[in-house]
Amino acid sequence: MSAGLESRSLGGARRPSALVAAVVLLLAAALPVAAVVAWTNSQARPASFATHQLVAPTTLSATGGASVTLSWPITTDTYASGYHVERGTVSGGPYSLVGTVTPRTTLAYAETPASSGTYYYVVRSFYGVWESPNTPQATAVVTLPATWTSRLYCTAQAADTGGDGNGYETNPTRACGAPDASAATDVNSGTNANTACTNAGKDNHRFYDYGFTLPGTVASINGIELQAVAGVSTTTGTTLCAQLSWDGGTTWTANKSVAFTATGLTTYTFGGAADTWGRAPGAWGVGDFTNANFRLRITDVANNTTRTFSLDAVGIRINYTP
């Protein structure tokens, strides 16, 4: 007799003791209908408990994309309460519970994981704390839609080499933080009339410590957008140039440039949702945007040395696929 109970032979006229019979009745009352043992005292052999295992759905299908939809056929166990949905990131598990579906006649479940990737699912029937074995595993590939980080602003800056060597020499900290119409200035910029962003006679300034907090599960960096709020004393022959570094300023992207269209503080946009600033697709990684690694360099270019540039803010946001 299972569950550690002793039994007495039922052969002939002998019957189970009163104690054993009472225990059996208590067990029968506690078990669900499909697991209750029928006691037969007319058989000429020792009695035994029959057991039953919850039946899982026979199949499981999964459809991926921006979210996951699962579906399965109904379990044949009519006393089942519903289903437990479990997900893993490795084929064959381990799996973790992600959803409970009731009642038994509900045969679908949808969810959106936190990041893109390949996920593995199983479903189990359940009744109380009892569970069936797993269904066959189903696989779904999730590609979440691209999204933007918040636009962030530098909290640190420093003049770079080039030109007269002092960058935005007047109130340089005003170029960090959100736009507030209070600007840093680069007076009488540069040491020559050359109009190339890469010319050594042009004034440069670095901006950094943006505090990006990209999730570690980012699937891809799709693009980077810079908005510079800037002005200039005279627009003729003036250009604002920008470069990005991913290794603390050792290596820089090629310059992007915009021509000034107004003397007053105006917003100019560099890059965009699908612009990786000349780097190959997939080259940018989450680690490139830490405060230790990420840098912006602004270069002021004019066709004479009497121009004065103003810079109110240099905000950056990143387009990524989770």
Side-chain angles (χ1 to χ4, degrees):
M1 185 173 183
S2 59
L5 296 175
E6 294 184 359
S7 64
R8 299 181 182 178
S9 171
L10 298 181
R14 301 188 69 182
R15 298 174 61 82
S17 71
L19 175 60
V20 172
V23 172
V24 170
L25 289 174
L26 288 173
L27 286 172
L31 294 173
V33 174
V36 171
V37 175
W39 184 277
T40 303
N41 64 3
S42 61
Q43 297 171 332
R45 62 179 184 271
S48 63
F49 285 107
T51 61
H52 175 76
Q53 185 178 65
L54 273 168
V55 177
T58 55
T59 61
L60 176 65
S61 64
T63 301
S67 62
V68 176
T69 301
L70 303 171
S71 60
W72 55 87
I74 195 168
T75 178
T76 57
D77 279 327
T78 57
Y79 66 88
S81 301
Y83 308 93
H84 287 157
V85 180
E86 298 194 353
R87 180 183 68 206
T89 56
V90 177
S91 181
Y95 308 102
S96 298
L97 182 69
V98 293
T100 297
V101 178
T102 57
R104 166 180 167 268
T105 52
T106 303
L107 305 175
Y109 181 79
E111 69 145 4
T112 303
S115 60
S116 299
T118 301
Y119 295 93
Y120 305 91
Y121 292 87
V122 294
V123 168
R124 298 178 181 177
S125 306
F126 77 93
Y127 177 87
V129 296
W130 294 3
E131 288 186 313
S132 73
N134 294 336
T135 60
Q137 178 180 274
T139 304
V141 177
V142 176
T143 304
L144 299 180
T147 187
W148 286 101
T149 65
S150 299
R151 191 179 307 282
L152 298 180
Y153 298 88
C154 60
T155 58
Q157 50 72 40
D160 206 346
T161 57
D164 54 21
N166 58 8
Y168 283 87
E169 71 273 20
T170 305
N171 299 314
T173 59
R174 291 183 180 179
C176 286
D180 61 2
S182 177
T185 54
D186 177 15
V187 181
N188 296 328
S189 179
T191 58
N192 61 42
N194 190 287
T195 56
C197 294
T198 55
N199 184 268
K202 305 292 113 177
D203 282 5
N204 301 292
H205 209 101
R206 297 188 184 197
F207 302 94
Y208 48 99
D209 287 5
Y210 278 82
F212 290 110
T213 55
L214 288 162
T217 54
V218 166
S220 64
I221 303 295
N222 306 315
I224 305 166
E225 181 187 87
L226 160 67
Q227 281 192 348
V229 182
V232 69
S233 56
T234 301
T235 60
T236 303
T238 54
T239 303
L240 194 68
C241 305
Q243 294 173 280
L244 303 179
S245 174
W246 58 93
D247 56 8
T250 300
T251 312
W252 296 90
T253 64
N255 276 284
K256 290 185 176 295
S257 64
V258 295
F260 279 89
T261 58
T263 56
L265 292 174
T266 304
T267 299
Y268 298 95
T269 301
F270 303 74
D275 192 331
T276 57
W277 292 62
R279 298 191 75 191
W284 287 99
V286 171
D288 296 338
F289 296 95
T290 63
N291 284 349
N293 289 332
F294 186 75
R295 298 287 185 272
L296 164 68
R297 180 162 64 190
I298 294 293
T299 302
D300 298 333
V301 175
N303 61 0
N304 65 56
T305 60
T306 63
R307 297 286 191 269
T308 296
F309 291 78
S310 301
L311 189 62
D312 181 21
V314 278
I316 292 176
R317 63 176 182 163
I318 303 165
N319 187 276
Y320 69 97
T321 299

